[in-house]
Amino acid sequence: MSENNMLLEAYKETNYQVTSHGKRNVDILKEALKTIDGQQDSDMYGEGKIIEDFQDKMAAYLGKESAIFFPSGTMAQQIALRIWCDQKGIKKVAYHPLCHLEIHEEDGLKELHQIEPILLADKNTIITLDDVMNLNEEISCLLLELPQREIGGQLPDYETIESISIYCRKKGIKLHLDGARLFEILPYYEKSAVEVCALFDSVYVSFYKGIGGVAGAILAGDKSFTDESKIWKRRHGGDLISLYPYIISGDYYFEQRINKMEQYYEGAKELAALYNQCTDVSTVPIQPVSNMFHVHFQWPKEKVEPILVDIYRESGIGLTGHLREVSEKECYFEVSIGDQYNEVPKDQLNAAFQHLNEKLSGVIK
Amino acid sequence: MSENNMLLEAYKETNYQVTSHGKRNVDILKEALKTIDGQQDSDMYGEGKIIEDFQDKMAAYLGKESAIFFPSGTMAQQIALRIWCDQKGIKKVAYHPLCHLEIHEEDGLKELHQIEPILLADKNTIITLDDVMNLNEEISCLLLELPQREIGGQLPDYETIESISIYCRKKGIKLHLDGARLFEILPYYEKSAVEVCALFDSVYVSFYKGIGGVAGAILAGDKSFTDESKIWKRRHGGDLISLYPYIISGDYYFEQRINKMEQYYEGAKELAALYNQCTDVSTVPIQPVSNMFHVHFQWPKEKVEPILVDIYRESGIGLTGHLREVSEKECYFEVSIGDQYNEVPKDQLNAAFQHLNEKLSGVIK
């Protein structure tokens, strides 16, 4: 068994895990289906009460004229950018170097849509108004990911988004929101989804991150935009005869968790503070602005792993199942706070962190 | 209420419906999930026991080295053709004018992959060896749909497929099977899936036609082919974090129905004979070669509708909920035999057809 598997196995054997909503197993779907009358008709190729009701509900929640349910955000976002590029006749968009489309989609945007992305900002920083103003190429659309997941879920000031939105409208650049974690940032901004989305021409949100559903996404905007997105959804092979397993679970967990985003955010701030008290450990951002953050150890991965395994076994508390190497001297992992955090006894959690800090302080690197 | 809606409403109110497996409602999924331990882990982005086991099972059933589960056939087939085109460096394929890719996918193949299709055969006939041999352009792949759904589910002789397969291999043309209804034609050919698929380089099968699952498809072929298909699946936005709702239902109904294809085929032949006994009615094909066929009335649609509504109300037996216009003098509908056919009392069915024939014979057109 590799060190990494040892960490994951030790994590799975703990009594309490500080991150996420829990296991992604079939019960997630079964629980959601319990609330649904089995005689309820399936959606059929994007039509029917079960899909239309949810789309209408999400359009209202996001403050957009129309919303379309997609099997994935990958599909929804490529399509959004394609529509904006076709409308302007310029096949260029701008986004962050660690944008999902750039690093997780096997270059679908380039291979399927021949769209060229301009990368804005350094990969460790978030996009600023200056980055947008300094663009010296014409683009059809700017994509902002809020929060910027791959760098710990960092966020710009709300005023920055507002000024980028004003600038883009003036320049005829469409502004698209990668809102995979939109629900999770609303407590920090103290804004409604409607207020945030009003700054954007198109919006994607996900139902399996903070919401914890099975899969699925919503793409929202003006009706002319979403009508076109349905044609592309068919082209991509996403207009399935039935999407209801994802819709039912998305809706069920939306209702369960949409009002718990503040709780997750507070949990993230509390947990990040515990990490930041440890020697050679720091979080990005230092103070989280959503339910997520990254934890960096100024230690080699192979030295952190056995320490974490010991902590898990001693305390019964699991912090993470995965460590990623940054360099020979640094490693990190991602934290997303969900329902499980509040179940962890605080005294045991504090004791675990005390042990962690002792090990990090006492052992020679 | 339009005539067409009257027909559908009258159909829904019948005690027995001769086509399909029954309603597509949420119970379809609930029933399949009952057999699954809720603690079973979700698949994760194409990995995990639940997806890998089903892929292995289908690869074995189809006699291919490897199989990949896709959310839709639309996605799977575009990707298959793309891979074969890229491999040969020629962006041309050949298929039937009423191929699913040509008429139901909003031109995804052209818009997303820039692949040009050459249409073979007249739209009312099936592709012959001569059609393939007379091609005067170089193509990367030939797609055969067995059975050809849009013309009633017609099939070539098995020897024709064999000779097309031999010809394509000799000419360096890849042969792809649109096997949306592959399971349904095996009783007619008296062949196993392995035998039929051995004639093709790549194969797609569906889990919501004869199988009656919720949605989903398998694409099978050599491992190098399916490995590449996984990259394209990610690009299309089809590599969902969880596909298990479709996999579980696909597997459950596969087990329930794979051995009933003979029964459906026999039912189709019996029912088609009843239609062919009626004045001005004929089926395509005259004798079905799978569980499906088309029923053509040499009558205007608006005159057939009220006759069918009367028959449904008198007999309690529903024949179809939809009629499609061919011309001012002709209309048709599609029949797919499933579990419901055997539940229809034969004496009532015969009486209904006697009434239908009386009405068609006795009324002035």
Side-chain angles (χ1 to χ4, degrees):
Chain A
M1 197 184 291
S2 75
E3 288 289 315
N4 219 344
N5 281 345
M6 275 185 60
L7 183 67
L8 184 58
E9 289 307 313
Y11 176 75
K12 284 182 179 170
E13 284 165 18
T14 53
N15 302 321
Y16 299 102
Q17 285 130 29
V18 299
T19 66
S20 88
H21 299 308
K23 284 185 185 150
R24 285 187 61 87
N25 60 26
V26 175
D27 269 338
I28 303 296
L29 178 59
K30 285 193 178 196
E31 184 185 325
L33 284 173
K34 276 187 198 149
T35 63
I36 304 292
D37 177 2
Q39 294 300 306
Q40 166 86 50
D41 283 336
S42 168
D43 53 310
M44 290 285 283
Y45 299 112
E47 296 187 351
K49 185 172 164 52
I50 210 163
I51 188 166
E52 288 164 11
D53 282 0
F54 188 61
Q55 290 177 163
D56 291 347
K57 176 177 172 174
M58 284 302 129
Y61 179 83
L62 300 170
K64 293 295 182 194
E65 190 181 5
S66 176
I68 300 296
F69 191 83
F70 278 79
S72 74
T74 295
M75 192 184 293
Q77 295 206 107
Q78 285 182 30
I79 287 172
L81 299 189
R82 174 63 183 259
I83 292 169
W84 296 136
C85 283
D86 281 355
Q87 190 175 99
K88 192 164 179 176
I90 292 172
K91 288 211 146 189
K92 285 185 187 174
V93 298
Y95 54 52
H96 191 271
L98 298 180
C99 174
H100 196 275
L101 291 100
E102 190 64 13
I103 63 172
H104 289 307
E105 302 182 9
E106 295 281 2
D107 279 341
L109 187 74
K110 301 162 202 170
E111 297 285 342
L112 290 170
H113 296 285
Q114 294 76 49
I115 293 173
E116 182 192 331
I118 315 293
L119 305 183
L120 289 188
D122 178 75
K123 68 185 173 121
N124 291 311
T125 63
I126 51 174
I127 293 171
T128 63
L129 177 60
D130 274 353
D131 291 323
V132 184
M133 292 176 71
N134 290 337
L135 258 170
N136 48 24
E137 293 188 79
E138 207 172 354
I139 57 168
S140 294
C141 180
L142 169 65
L143 178 151
L144 287 185
E145 182 185 347
L146 303 178
Q148 198 70 52
R149 184 253 179 121
E150 297 291 342
I151 49 173
Q154 297 181 49
L155 278 179
D157 299 337
Y158 197 71
E159 294 67 34
T160 299
I161 314 175
E162 288 179 313
S163 55
I164 289 175
S165 175
I166 290 166
Y167 178 82
C168 284
R169 279 190 188 158
K170 205 166 62 185
K171 292 288 181 180
I173 298 168
K174 295 293 180 183
L175 192 57
H176 172 78
L177 172 58
D178 179 341
R181 291 164 185 80
L182 170 66
F183 309 126
E184 294 87 324
I185 62 170
L186 299 175
Y188 169 74
Y189 279 142
E190 298 181 330
K191 299 286 179 188
S192 68
V194 172
E195 287 171 304
V196 177
C197 293
L199 304 175
F200 294 83
D201 298 290
S202 54
V203 174
Y204 140 71
V205 292
S206 172
F207 294 93
Y208 65 90
K209 278 96 183 183
I211 299 297
V214 178
I218 277 281
L219 182 64
D222 288 347
K223 187 156 184 311
S224 60
F225 168 83
T226 59
D227 279 352
E228 208 172 335
S229 80
K230 284 200 278 189
I231 297 171
W232 284 106
K233 178 181 165 188
R234 171 68 59 108
R235 288 176 178 151
H236 265 253
D239 191 19
L240 307 196
I241 184 169
S242 302
L243 283 165
Y244 69 81
Y246 302 131
I247 296 166
I248 289 169
S249 57
D251 194 20
Y252 176 78
Y253 292 106
F254 179 85
E255 288 301 325
Q256 278 212 343
R257 296 190 174 123
I258 192 64
N259 292 323
K260 293 169 88 176
M261 295 296 156
E262 176 90 32
Q263 170 196 319
Y264 305 150
Y265 168 49
E266 294 300 329
K269 286 191 287 187
E270 184 179 274
L271 185 64
L274 289 172
Y275 279 112
N276 285 314
Q277 284 164 18
C278 295
T279 302
D280 293 333
V281 181
S282 59
T283 67
V284 178
I286 291 289
Q287 176 151 311
V289 290
S290 71
N291 73 324
M292 75 165 290
F293 57 89
H294 285 181
V295 180
H296 285 254
F297 289 79
Q298 299 304 318
W299 279 59
K301 179 168 173 274
E302 64 274 14
K303 293 215 168 176
V304 175
E305 275 165 348
I307 293 176
L308 290 179
V309 169
D310 283 351
I311 296 288
Y312 298 174
R313 288 178 183 159
E314 280 171 26
S315 67
I317 292 176
L319 301 175
T320 184
H322 304 279
L323 274 180
R324 293 180 222 174
E325 193 167 87
V326 177
S327 68
E328 281 182 13
K329 295 176 180 173
E330 186 181 355
C331 62
Y332 85 102
F333 61 90
E334 184 174 288
V335 170
S336 289
I337 297 296
D339 288 348
Q340 293 197 119
Y341 182 71
N342 270 11
E343 291 162 21
V344 185
K346 284 293 166 347
D347 52 343
Q348 289 185 41
L349 182 67
N350 288 326
F353 270 92
Q354 200 177 326
H355 286 157
L356 175 64
N357 194 27
E358 281 166 13
K359 284 177 190 281
L360 291 168
S361 312
V363 187
I364 295 156
K365 276 197 210 181
Chain B
M1 197 183 290
S2 75
E3 287 289 314
N4 218 345
N5 281 344
M6 275 184 60
L7 183 67
L8 185 58
E9 290 307 314
Y11 177 76
K12 284 182 180 171
E13 283 165 19
T14 53
N15 301 321
Y16 300 103
Q17 286 129 28
V18 298
T19 66
S20 89
H21 299 306
K23 284 186 183 148
R24 285 188 60 87
N25 59 26
V26 175
D27 268 339
I28 303 296
L29 179 59
K30 284 193 178 195
E31 185 184 326
L33 284 173
K34 275 186 198 150
T35 62
I36 305 293
D37 177 4
Q39 294 299 304
Q40 166 86 49
D41 283 336
S42 168
D43 53 309
M44 289 285 283
Y45 299 112
E47 295 186 351
K49 184 173 167 49
I50 209 163
I51 189 166
E52 289 164 11
D53 282 359
F54 188 61
Q55 291 176 163
D56 290 347
K57 176 177 172 174
M58 284 301 128
Y61 179 82
L62 300 169
K64 292 296 181 194
E65 190 181 5
S66 175
I68 300 296
F69 191 83
F70 277 80
S72 74
T74 295
M75 193 183 293
Q77 295 207 108
Q78 284 182 30
I79 287 171
L81 299 190
R82 174 64 184 259
I83 292 169
W84 296 136
C85 284
D86 281 356
Q87 192 176 97
K88 192 163 177 176
I90 292 172
K91 288 211 146 189
K92 286 186 187 173
V93 298
Y95 53 54
H96 191 271
L98 298 180
C99 174
H100 196 274
L101 291 100
E102 190 64 13
I103 63 171
H104 289 306
E105 303 182 7
E106 295 281 3
D107 279 341
L109 188 74
K110 300 162 202 170
E111 297 285 342
L112 289 170
H113 295 285
Q114 294 77 50
I115 292 173
E116 183 192 331
I118 315 293
L119 305 182
L120 288 189
D122 178 73
K123 68 184 173 125
N124 291 310
T125 63
I126 50 174
I127 294 171
T128 63
L129 176 61
D130 274 352
D131 292 323
V132 184
M133 291 177 71
N134 291 337
L135 259 170
N136 49 22
E137 293 188 80
E138 208 173 353
I139 57 168
S140 294
C141 181
L142 169 65
L143 179 151
L144 288 186
E145 182 185 347
L146 303 179
Q148 198 70 50
R149 183 253 178 117
E150 297 292 340
I151 49 173
Q154 298 180 49
L155 278 181
D157 298 337
Y158 196 71
E159 294 66 35
T160 299
I161 314 175
E162 288 178 313
S163 54
I164 289 176
S165 174
I166 291 166
Y167 179 81
C168 285
R169 282 197 184 150
K170 204 167 62 185
K171 292 288 182 181
I173 298 168
K174 294 294 179 182
L175 192 58
H176 172 78
L177 172 58
D178 178 341
R181 293 163 183 80
L182 170 66
F183 309 126
E184 294 87 324
I185 62 171
L186 299 176
Y188 170 73
Y189 279 142
E190 298 182 327
K191 299 284 180 188
S192 70
V194 171
E195 287 170 303
V196 176
C197 294
L199 305 175
F200 294 84
D201 298 290
S202 53
V203 174
Y204 139 71
V205 292
S206 172
F207 294 94
Y208 65 90
K209 280 97 184 182
I211 299 296
V214 177
I218 277 280
L219 182 65
D222 288 348
K223 189 159 184 307
S224 60
F225 168 83
T226 59
D227 280 351
E228 207 171 336
S229 80
K230 285 201 278 187
I231 297 172
W232 284 106
K233 178 179 165 188
R234 171 67 59 106
R235 287 175 179 151
H236 265 254
D239 191 19
L240 307 195
I241 184 169
S242 301
L243 284 165
Y244 70 81
Y246 302 131
I247 297 166
I248 288 169
S249 57
D251 194 21
Y252 177 77
Y253 293 105
F254 178 85
E255 288 302 325
Q256 278 213 344
R257 297 190 174 122
I258 192 64
N259 292 324
K260 294 169 88 177
M261 296 296 156
E262 176 90 33
Q263 171 196 318
Y264 304 151
Y265 168 50
E266 294 299 329
K269 285 190 288 187
E270 184 179 274
L271 185 64
L274 289 172
Y275 279 111
N276 286 314
Q277 284 164 19
C278 296
T279 302
D280 294 333
V281 182
S282 60
T283 68
V284 178
I286 291 287
Q287 175 150 312
V289 290
S290 70
N291 72 324
M292 75 165 291
F293 57 89
H294 284 183
V295 179
H296 284 256
F297 289 78
Q298 298 305 319
W299 280 58
K301 179 168 173 275
E302 64 275 14
K303 293 216 168 177
V304 176
E305 276 164 347
I307 293 176
L308 290 179
V309 169
D310 282 351
I311 297 287
Y312 299 174
R313 287 179 184 158
E314 281 171 25
S315 66
I317 291 176
L319 301 175
T320 184
H322 305 277
L323 273 181
R324 294 180 223 172
E325 194 168 88
V326 177
S327 69
E328 282 182 12
K329 296 177 179 173
E330 185 180 356
C331 62
Y332 85 102
F333 62 89
E334 184 173 289
V335 170
S336 288
I337 297 297
D339 288 348
Q340 294 197 119
Y341 182 71
N342 270 10
E343 292 163 21
V344 185
K346 284 293 164 348
D347 53 343
Q348 289 185 43
L349 182 67
N350 289 327
F353 270 92
Q354 201 178 325
H355 286 158
L356 175 63
N357 194 28
E358 282 164 14
K359 283 178 191 281
L360 291 169
S361 313
V363 186
I364 295 157
K365 274 198 211 183

